[in-house]
Amino acid sequence: MSDMIDPQVHEKELEFEPGNEPAARKRMSKWTLYSRRFLRNKPAVVGIFIFLLLVAFAIVGPMMTEYDHIDMDFLNLSTGPSAEHWFGTNASGNDNFAQVSIGLQRSLMIAVTVSVGVTALSAVIGTAAAYFGGWTERTILLIIHFLMVVPSFLILAMISNDSGGDWRVIAFLMIFVVGWFFPARVIWTMALSLREREYVHAARYMGVRGFRIVLRHLLPNIGSLLVINFTLGIVSAVMTETGLSFLGFGVKIPDVSLGALIGSGANTITSAPWLFYFPAAALTLLTVSMALVADGLRDALDPTSAAGGRA
């Protein structure tokens, strides 16, 4: 990322308003500039709008139907969408609308938890390896490179299968088994150049402790990378959880997730296609919206990109 400048030194940027004279230049905060760049990206705005709608559906959806996701309506078994069951029902009589909303809620909770944990863990480990160097750097990189060649998805599947389908355990495992090592290596590469900056040498000369330098000087200067990693991490976590649940290693009944619903709906796609298409549509909208938001954030935070370079 090109946004590699000390935030304590560079707080303002100039903006040229169309049609104004140079004397009328206005100073504005860095975050105001980022917001304007992001809002100028129409696909990114559409993406954040879709994402907010999905979040609202996950929160409000269970309240919009009289059926809970585990309730069984024995008078409506495998019925299609109707006024009573908007998304239809499955073979057990469960309301598909309630299940999709709860499934989206669980998938979002897992994705956000995993993305926050992975971003924080990989940021601290990657920058610490770059700053301290020596045996610390060699040990961390050895662990990272080992985990990158191990079939971690299979390990995660075997361990999560013994968790009983608890989404909290699955999220914790996703953070520490498959999530952090690849972003940590990318962050280590970015932080290598930062450790030679003047303000880092000055802080070290003044006796500031190593971890304080990492937290106060290195991490803030890769903030744009961390924001994008967090956004893309949501997509990655959702897809990983979906794959686990689809294969039967993720969230289990009576709890549901989008992956679990897609996995069960795939078995009845010819006889009851609504059980597959509704959760699949929710998953598609979620991943597409996050991809659009990540692209908009990249352009907004990187002044060298085609769109980000224009104030």
Side-chain angles (χ1 to χ4, degrees):
M1 288 293 143
S2 299
D3 192 26
M4 295 284 186
I5 49 179
D6 191 346
Q8 298 176 349
V9 175
H10 187 78
E11 293 289 342
K12 304 288 184 179
E13 244 185 84
L14 289 174
E15 180 192 33
F16 289 85
E17 291 292 341
N20 288 359
E21 296 296 327
R25 296 173 183 172
K26 297 187 300 183
R27 300 181 69 86
M28 61 181 171
S29 72
K30 180 171 59 177
W31 295 109
T32 301
L33 179 64
Y34 292 160
S35 300
R36 292 190 180 185
R37 288 175 178 170
F38 181 84
L39 294 175
R40 190 172 56 242
N41 190 318
K42 296 300 188 294
V45 174
V46 172
I48 197 69
F49 178 73
I50 294 174
F51 178 73
L52 293 176
L53 285 180
L54 292 173
V55 172
F57 173 66
I59 297 174
V60 181
M63 309 175 192
M64 297 174 61
T65 175
E66 59 181 303
Y67 297 96
D68 193 72
H69 72 286
I70 59 175
D71 292 339
M72 299 182 183
D73 184 359
F74 295 108
L75 298 179
N76 292 280
L77 303 178
S78 292
T79 58
S82 63
E84 186 176 4
H85 298 282
W86 297 341
F87 288 1
T89 63
N90 60 15
S92 301
N94 301 119
D95 184 73
N96 196 36
F97 180 88
Q99 290 207 327
V100 171
S101 59
I102 291 294
L104 177 60
Q105 186 181 108
R106 290 290 182 270
S107 294
L108 282 172
M109 292 170 71
I110 292 173
V112 173
T113 302
V114 170
S115 190
V116 170
V118 165
T119 301
L121 185 65
S122 61
V124 172
I125 292 177
T127 51
Y131 175 76
F132 291 106
W135 68 268
T136 302
E137 182 179 39
R138 290 192 297 271
T139 302
I140 291 176
L141 290 180
L142 179 63
I143 295 173
I144 290 175
H145 292 155
F146 173 76
L147 291 175
M148 290 179 70
V149 299
V150 170
S152 52
F153 186 85
L154 297 179
I155 298 175
L156 178 59
M158 290 186 293
I159 298 176
S160 62
N161 192 42
D162 298 327
S163 68
D166 189 335
W167 71 267
R168 299 173 187 84
V169 177
I170 293 173
F172 180 82
L173 291 173
M174 287 172 62
I175 292 173
F176 288 98
V177 176
V178 301
W180 66 272
F181 48 86
F182 184 76
R185 195 184 191 287
V186 175
I187 291 171
W188 165 76
T189 304
M190 302 289 293
L192 282 177
S193 61
L194 292 180
R195 71 181 182 184
E196 304 301 329
R197 294 295 179 92
E198 293 80 3
Y199 53 85
V200 174
H201 287 298
R204 188 186 298 118
Y205 178 78
M206 294 171 63
V208 180
R209 294 182 178 180
F211 271 107
R212 187 173 179 85
I213 293 176
V214 169
L215 297 177
R216 291 289 302 273
H217 297 285
L218 295 184
L219 286 179
N221 284 284
I222 56 173
S224 59
L225 175 65
L226 298 182
V227 170
I228 296 173
N229 278 351
F230 168 75
T231 308
L232 293 176
I234 292 179
V235 179
S236 177
V238 168
M239 299 306 294
T240 301
E241 183 277 326
T242 300
L244 285 172
S245 298
F246 185 84
L247 296 174
F249 297 109
V251 177
K252 294 181 175 60
I253 295 175
D255 210 349
V256 292
S257 69
L258 291 181
L261 292 175
I262 292 173
S264 61
N267 298 323
T268 60
I269 194 170
T270 56
S271 59
W274 55 87
L275 297 178
F276 175 83
Y277 288 129
F278 283 114
L283 176 64
T284 302
L285 288 174
L286 178 59
T287 54
V288 169
S289 65
M290 284 291 93
L292 293 175
V293 171
D295 188 64
L297 287 173
R298 182 204 63 199
D299 290 341
L301 298 174
D302 185 3
T304 63
S305 67
R310 302 190 303 271

